[in-house]
């Protein structure tokens, strides 16, 4: 943006963030090395070597912009660092006090709602504008009251609770709404439990999942070594402003748009999957549910296998021994993600389970890729001090790094022999992870089924080696004498866990870890970064490239032309996630992005991931719609392909988009419900923009993705209730013409004409006048630049 302002004759120094203080860099680390004592160091060394250019760019930003603090990579997951260290709860500006708030470029920013800080995820595009002083505009949301009563069973975890809430609220429908938790049951939940529930807010679809501040919040601030004087100020301010809550006092309950209830006593051990985080399954029903999924029609709960293929198996050699895989075999087991690694109760619970299982003689098969990626250094500290870390390591759960890992798709490669056994026998093998997302193609290309579970259940399924197990009737394993060991025999109770937590999770740990959080590793400290207001772009870099978004920008507003005979690039169904649109995982060797990198002399082992190359628009445009599980109705099977019209040639999506661009043909997408669910990934809007997509017609949009589309100048259009691509009889081979009036209003209906003679109305999902302003400017950042020039 500084380059664009400078090019148009403005002062580049006007492009300066006004954020109050902190920018946390949440760097995801790939699990290249696992199950060894030096996995952590080897993974971090490799990641620093791979991403040195990106880190240099970030370090330049720390000096080129005002009010910017970098928390270096390797420090932990951004949301956990915010919860344990950065969040103030109440801000102090000279003599003025006001509630803390946060806008983050990751959808799980909502985790901080568990501490009583109002915050939510915004698109990266919108967040950039916020840092430059632009206010966020939104429609006044409905507020849903979620009343919690009772107490959790001794054997239930906060993970089981959040998966239950996620399914419940998805069924109710809370997209674009605020959810506030209240009721006497809240007092039985720790701040870490509340943060777990708030963290998965994007998965149940709400904008926020808020827990007001109470005495437990203040106790947590003391536990995490916040300043006592500030804590007293926070309490005094909140009491004076009547924002301090007593959850046991019904007289303090607000009035809500709607109230729903949950009795904690009804929560049972659960997992979610195999393809969506809100498809909860109780552990007692898991075996039967998975077996049904194998033969169900292909969909969110089905793989479409024929009965004659259910007995398929594949033998392979690993470290000198022969093993066999079948449908349901676990090949990845990861204790990962801010959802759970921030919660001492489930982390220590996992450690206690590992201890009991190890002492009973149980173990995890060596070919299963196990990993432990703590959300901060504090986790490693209390796992070590409590004495459970050696048992986790004995089970293969060695620390592999601090950051988003398996949950975001950075599970790293599986052994080639395992991959061959899976692919040759068309096996539905599984990943089990303590994450928050398990969309198709996200975790690993060879794990078609992925289940979200508590860290304790991750270990349990890893020991079992399969997900088609009934823990009530089938043993985890056997002792050396052949005696069966059942899960109930090694499962710690909630009271056991709480006793260890109260003894070992102490303020001194937080003080020691966070006193060094901004220092970074030796490699970070020695990293040399350029100086100056403008970044010196390296034209040979394949990681950091000057983006093209402002190349043809003028100081005057662009003319808004109608879309005439636009082609459908993709015809998609429901729940298309941002992982489908812009995957963050590995770059397939036969993809357009791989060809681009190979042309520049890189070998496949140097390709890295899409997530690591998001600073290069050429890679990311080629990676748009590159998910191997993408289901495009224009082609006959899953994959990143589409059909070019009128040639009828099947091409990679990027190649088809380029062909249309050369032919001066505008593009649209036809999609179903919940388009853009999942991560708040700005490249899921930037990528389509670069492919030439001008509009998206959907049955409904997820909140953040709609905002990102508007931010890039792409028109979000919504079918009228009861209508869809299929109901209107379109297959995607048609052309479409539409005109947006110059004086259009938010939510206005406009007409679309198709080449088959049909005409239908759609709703413009410009929700505010500000949205329309961004659209007329060609996007939010273009608007901000023109504002700066004035």
């Amino acid at each position: 943006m500084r380059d664009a302002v400078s090019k148009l004759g403005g002062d580049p120094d006007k492009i300066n963030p006004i954020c109050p203080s902190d920018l946390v860099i949440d760097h995801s680390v790939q699990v290249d090395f696992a199950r060894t004592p030096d996995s952590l160091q080897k993974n971090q060394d490799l990641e620093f070597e791979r991403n040195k250019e990106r880190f240099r760019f970030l370090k330049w930003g720390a000096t080129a912009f005002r009010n910017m603090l970098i928390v270096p990579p390797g420090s932990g997951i951004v949301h956990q660092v915010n919860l344990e260290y950065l969040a103030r709860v109440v801000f102090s500006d000279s003599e003025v006090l006001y509630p803390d708030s946060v806008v983050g470029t990751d959808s799980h920013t909502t985790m901080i709602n568990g501490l009583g800080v109002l915050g939510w995820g915004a698109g990266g595009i919108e967040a950039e504008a916020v840092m430059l002083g632009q206010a966020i505009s939104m429609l006044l949301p409905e507020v849903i009251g979620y009343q919690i009563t009772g107490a959790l069973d001794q054997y239930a975890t906060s993970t089981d609770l959040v998966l239950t809430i996620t399914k419940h609220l998805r069924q109710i429908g809370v997209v674009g709404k605020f959810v506030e938790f209240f009721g006497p049951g809240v007092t039985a939940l720790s701040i870490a439990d509340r943060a777990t529930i708030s963290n998965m807010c994007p998965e149940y679809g709400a904008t926020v999942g808020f827990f007001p501040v109470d005495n437990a919040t203040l106790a947590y601030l003391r536990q995490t070594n916040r300043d006592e004087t500030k804590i007293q100020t926070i309490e005094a301010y909140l009491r004076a402003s009547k924002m301090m809550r007593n959850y046991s006092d019904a007289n303090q309950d607000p009035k809500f748009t709607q109230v729903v209830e949950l009795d904690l006593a009804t929560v049972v051990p659960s997992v979610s999957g195999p393809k969506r985080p809100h498809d909860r399954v109780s552990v007692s029903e898991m075996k039967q549910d998975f077996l049904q999924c194998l033969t169900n029609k292909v969909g969110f709960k089905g793989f479409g296998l024929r009965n004659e293929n259910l007995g398929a198996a594949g033998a392979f050699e690993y470290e000198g021994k022969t093993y066999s895989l079948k449908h349901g075999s676990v090949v990845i087991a990861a204790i990962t993600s801010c959802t759970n690694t921030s919660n001492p109760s489930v982390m220590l619970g996992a450690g206690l389970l590992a201890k009991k299982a190890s002492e009973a003689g149980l173990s995890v098969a060596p070919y299963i890729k196990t990993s432990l990626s703590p959300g901060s250094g504090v986790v490693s500290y209390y796992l070590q001090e409590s004495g459970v870390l050696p048992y986790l390591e004995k089970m293969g759960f060695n620390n592999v790094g601090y950051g988003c890992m398996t949950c975001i798709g950075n599970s790293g490669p599986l052994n080639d022999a395992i991959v061959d056994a899976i692919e040759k026998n068309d096996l539905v093998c599984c990943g089990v992870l303590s994450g928050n997302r398990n969309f198709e193609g996200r975790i690993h290309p060879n794990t078609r089924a992925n289940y979200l579970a508590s860290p304790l259940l991750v270990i349990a399924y890893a020991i079992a080696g399969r997900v088609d197990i009934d823990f009530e009737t089938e043993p985890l394993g056997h002792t050396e004498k052949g005696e069966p060991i059942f899960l109930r025999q090694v499962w710690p109770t909630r009271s056991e866990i709480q006793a260890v937590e109260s003894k070992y999770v102490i303020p001194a740990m937080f003080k020691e870890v966070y006193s060094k959080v901004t220092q970074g590793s030796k490699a970070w400290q020695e990293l040399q970064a350029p100086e100056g207001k403008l970044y010196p772009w390296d034209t040979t870099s394949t990681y950091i490239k000057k983006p093209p978004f402002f190349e043809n920008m003028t100081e005057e507003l662009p003319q808004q032309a109608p879309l005439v005979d636009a082609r459908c690039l993709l015809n998609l169904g429901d729940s298309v996630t941002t992982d489908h649109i812009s995957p963050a995982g590995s770059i397939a060797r036969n993809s357009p992005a791989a060809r681009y990198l190979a042309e520049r002399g890189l070998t496949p082992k140097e390709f890295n991931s899409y997530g690591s190359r998001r600073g290069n628009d050429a890679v990311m445009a080629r990676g748009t719609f590159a998910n191997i599980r993408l289901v495009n109705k224009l082609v006959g099977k899953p994959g990143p392909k589409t059909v070019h019209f009128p040639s009828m040639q099947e091409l990679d999506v990027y190649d088809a988009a380029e062909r249309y661009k050369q032919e001066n043909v505008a593009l649209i997408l036809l999609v179903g419900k919940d388009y853009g669910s999942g991560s708040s990934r700005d490249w899921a809007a930037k990528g389509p923009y670069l492919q030439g997509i001008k509009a998206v017609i959907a049955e409904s949009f997820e909140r953040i993705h709609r905002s990102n589309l508007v931010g890039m100048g792409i028109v979000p259009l919504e079918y009228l209730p009861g209508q869809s691509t299929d109901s209107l009889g379109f297959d995607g081979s048609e052309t479409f013409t539409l005109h947006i009036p110059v004086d259009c209003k938010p939510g206005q209906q406009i007409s679309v004409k198709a080449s088959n003679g049909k005409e239908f109305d759609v709703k413009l999902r410009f929700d505010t006048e500000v949205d329309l302003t961004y659209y007329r400017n060609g996007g939010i950042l273009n608007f901000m630049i023109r504002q700066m020039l004035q």
Side-chain angles (χ1 to χ4, degrees):
M1 289 182 69
R2 279 186 170 178
D3 286 326
V5 169
S6 181
K7 180 181 176 182
L8 293 171
D11 179 4
D13 197 39
K14 287 185 177 181
I15 304 294
N16 223 320
I18 61 167
C19 53
S21 58
D22 310 308
L23 173 65
V24 186
I25 302 305
D26 184 10
H27 177 63
S28 56
V29 183
Q30 181 163 298
V31 188
D32 290 281
F33 301 98
R35 301 193 71 146
T36 62
D38 62 349
S39 296
L40 172 63
Q41 192 59 50
K42 291 171 75 173
N43 284 327
Q44 288 184 341
D45 290 346
L46 186 55
E47 282 303 298
F48 205 92
E49 184 60 34
R50 283 173 174 160
N51 296 286
K52 188 177 290 185
E53 289 183 56
R54 298 175 68 212
F55 295 160
R56 184 181 294 116
F57 179 76
L58 294 171
K59 207 165 185 180
W60 164 79
T63 58
F65 297 95
R66 294 188 295 271
N67 294 339
M68 185 174 288
L69 168 69
I70 298 287
V71 177
S75 304
I77 301 175
V78 57
H79 311 304
Q80 188 161 342
V81 173
N82 193 25
L83 182 74
E84 295 177 349
Y85 176 63
L86 293 174
R88 278 82 161 169
V89 182
V90 171
F91 248 93
S92 174
D93 179 9
S94 185
E95 296 181 356
V96 178
L97 299 173
Y98 55 95
D100 192 357
S101 62
V102 62
V103 172
T105 58
D106 185 275
S107 52
H108 293 108
T109 299
T110 53
M111 183 174 179
I112 203 62
N113 294 167
L115 192 65
V117 175
L118 187 65
W120 61 82
I125 303 157
E126 185 176 31
E128 289 168 13
V130 169
M131 292 177 69
L132 296 171
Q134 181 68 5
I136 288 180
S137 66
M138 63 186 301
L139 297 176
L140 191 66
E142 297 180 18
V143 182
I144 308 300
Y146 199 95
Q147 185 173 28
I148 296 177
T149 60
L152 286 173
D153 180 82
Q154 279 288 309
Y155 296 98
T157 68
S158 58
T159 313
D160 304 322
L161 171 59
V162 73
L163 296 181
T164 301
I165 290 173
T166 298
K167 181 177 182 178
H168 188 196
L169 286 175
R170 268 292 173 186
Q171 290 172 333
I172 292 170
V174 292
V175 173
K177 301 175 183 179
F178 281 19
V179 172
E180 181 173 320
F181 295 91
F182 73 105
V186 175
T187 60
L189 302 177
S190 68
I191 295 302
D193 291 339
R194 299 176 196 180
T196 297
I197 295 167
S198 295
N199 179 284
M200 282 194 74
C201 180
E203 281 64 58
Y204 46 82
T207 303
V208 300
F210 187 68
F211 288 87
V213 174
D214 69 343
N215 287 329
T217 313
L218 303 179
Y220 179 83
L221 294 176
R222 291 187 172 95
Q223 182 187 36
T224 51
N225 196 51
R226 263 64 167 220
D227 181 81
E228 179 60 33
T229 302
K230 292 182 178 178
I231 296 173
Q232 293 176 8
T233 301
I234 291 168
E235 181 176 8
Y237 169 76
L238 292 175
R239 290 194 184 282
S241 58
K242 298 184 179 180
M243 289 191 285
M244 189 79 175
R245 183 68 60 84
N246 178 358
Y247 287 101
S248 298
D249 184 358
N251 293 322
Q252 293 187 18
D253 295 344
K255 293 182 179 179
F256 297 104
T257 307
Q258 178 186 355
V259 172
V260 293
E261 297 181 33
L262 176 69
D263 181 354
L264 294 179
T266 63
V267 174
V268 298
S270 303
V271 298
S272 280
K275 302 180 184 181
R276 295 190 302 186
H278 55 277
D279 289 330
R280 186 191 68 84
V281 184
S282 64
V283 170
S284 61
E285 299 173 354
M286 175 61 172
K287 180 176 182 177
Q288 188 60 33
D289 187 84
F290 177 76
L291 294 177
Q292 288 176 350
C293 285
L294 290 177
T295 54
N296 285 349
K297 180 182 176 182
V298 174
F300 300 123
K301 294 288 288 185
F303 297 99
L305 298 186
R306 297 177 179 177
N307 288 328
E308 57 266 30
N309 295 333
L310 294 180
F316 65 96
E317 296 288 324
Y318 186 83
E319 295 182 349
K321 292 185 178 181
T322 300
Y323 298 91
S324 181
L325 297 176
K326 63 182 186 66
H327 299 305
S329 291
V330 173
V331 293
I332 291 176
I335 298 176
T336 182
S337 168
C338 50
T339 305
N340 286 289
T341 60
S342 61
N343 194 324
S345 67
V346 291
M347 295 301 288
L348 288 168
L352 291 173
L353 188 148
K355 180 177 185 292
K356 292 185 177 186
S358 177
E359 291 171 345
L362 301 178
S363 62
V364 176
Y367 65 83
I368 296 177
K369 190 164 190 178
T370 49
S371 60
L372 166 65
S373 48
S376 77
V378 173
V379 180
S380 299
Y381 205 144
Y382 65 65
L383 290 178
Q384 180 67 54
E385 291 298 306
S386 63
V388 299
L389 187 58
Y391 296 99
L392 286 165
E393 293 172 343
K394 192 172 182 180
M395 288 289 167
F397 290 89
N398 296 80
N399 187 347
V400 295
Y402 298 96
C404 294
M405 301 186 79
T406 300
C407 185
I408 201 174
N410 285 344
S411 52
L414 290 172
N415 182 273
D416 288 343
I418 296 174
V419 172
D420 288 343
I422 293 172
E423 293 181 347
K424 288 178 180 178
N425 297 281
D426 193 27
L427 298 177
V428 179
C429 287
C430 304
V432 184
L433 63 149
S434 64
N436 45 47
R437 290 188 175 137
N438 54 343
F439 302 122
E440 289 181 287
R442 179 182 176 103
I443 306 305
H444 193 281
N446 294 108
T447 57
R448 290 161 66 185
N450 296 282
Y451 288 92
L452 306 182
S454 69
L456 294 87
L457 283 173
V458 170
I459 295 176
Y461 281 111
I463 294 171
R466 58 193 177 97
V467 298
D468 57 340
I469 180 174
D470 183 346
F471 287 128
E472 286 298 314
T473 61
E474 299 176 67
L476 273 180
H478 296 80
T479 65
E480 293 181 357
K481 296 180 180 180
E483 298 171 346
I485 301 293
F486 289 87
L487 179 58
R488 57 181 173 269
Q489 294 173 254
V490 297
W491 191 275
T493 65
R494 200 165 172 84
S495 339
E496 286 179 82
I497 296 167
Q498 287 172 344
V500 176
E501 180 179 351
S502 62
K503 183 176 181 180
Y504 291 104
V505 183
I506 57 177
M509 293 181 176
F510 294 89
K511 181 178 181 180
E512 181 173 339
V513 169
Y514 284 109
S515 66
K516 301 176 289 187
V517 72
T518 59
Q519 294 178 9
S521 64
K522 182 180 179 183
W524 172 265
Q525 293 171 16
E526 295 176 350
L527 182 66
Q528 297 297 311
E531 298 178 353
K533 295 178 182 179
L534 300 180
Y535 186 74
W537 303 101
D538 179 358
T539 57
T540 64
S541 173
T542 57
Y543 276 100
I544 303 293
K545 180 176 175 290
K546 183 179 178 180
F549 304 122
F550 311 115
E551 285 181 353
N552 299 315
M553 181 184 168
T554 61
E555 192 170 347
E556 299 77 27
L557 288 179
Q559 293 289 325
Q560 300 300 329
L563 288 182
V564 178
D565 294 334
R567 284 286 182 185
C568 171
L569 182 63
L570 297 162
N571 181 4
L572 306 171
D574 296 342
S575 294
V576 173
T577 71
T578 52
D579 280 288
H580 290 108
I581 305 167
S582 182
S586 59
I587 297 173
R589 297 188 180 190
N590 61 347
S591 65
R595 293 195 293 271
Y596 170 85
L597 294 171
E599 289 167 1
R600 281 148 185 81
L602 276 68
T603 61
K605 70 177 183 179
E606 298 172 308
F607 287 170
N608 211 335
S609 65
Y610 286 111
S612 68
R613 292 192 178 274
R614 63 185 64 175
N616 187 319
D617 62 273
V619 173
M620 298 306 290
R622 287 164 173 80
T624 301
F625 298 111
N627 189 303
I628 61 171
R629 304 295 180 197
L630 182 74
V631 178
N632 176 16
K633 297 176 185 179
L634 292 175
V635 295
K637 58 182 180 180
K641 301 284 185 178
T642 195
V643 174
H644 171 267
F645 295 100
S647 72
M648 301 304 294
Q649 186 176 357
E650 187 174 298
L651 299 169
D652 287 317
V653 175
Y654 173 79
D655 294 337
E658 285 297 291
R659 175 89 66 87
Y660 283 125
K661 194 176 294 184
Q662 293 166 6
E663 297 166 348
N664 291 317
V665 174
L667 298 175
I668 66 168
L669 302 177
L670 301 177
V671 295
K673 301 182 184 70
D674 301 328
Y675 180 66
S677 56
S679 303
S680 58
R681 198 163 289 165
D682 55 350
W683 271 108
K686 291 177 179 176
Y689 168 85
L690 292 175
Q691 287 189 351
I693 292 167
K694 304 297 184 184
V696 179
I697 307 178
E699 291 181 61
S700 64
F701 295 89
E702 281 291 284
R703 175 185 62 86
I704 295 176
H705 187 62
R706 185 208 68 85
S707 172
N708 274 339
L709 292 175
V710 172
M712 289 307 299
I714 297 175
V715 183
L717 301 168
E718 204 163 86
Y719 289 114
L720 299 186
Q723 294 186 344
S724 66
T725 304
D726 292 340
S727 73
L728 292 169
F730 299 129
D731 61 15
S733 63
E734 307 84 359
T735 61
F736 298 86
T737 297
L738 61 98
H739 175 69
I740 299 176
V742 175
D743 58 348
C744 67
K745 303 296 181 185
Q748 180 176 330
Q749 290 185 17
I750 63 170
S751 179
V752 180
K753 296 180 180 179
S755 56
N756 62 3
K758 290 186 178 180
E759 187 170 349
F760 60 102
D761 286 347
V762 293
K763 179 181 178 181
L764 269 174
R765 280 302 310 275
F766 295 134
D767 292 348
T768 65
E769 289 289 346
V770 175
D771 283 350
L772 284 167
T773 300
Y774 295 157
Y775 165 69
R776 291 170 183 137
N777 275 269
I780 188 171
L781 298 183
N782 305 56
F783 166 76
M784 291 303 300
I785 288 176
R786 291 190 177 98
Q787 289 291 103
M788 300 282 180
L789 292 173
Q790 293 174 8

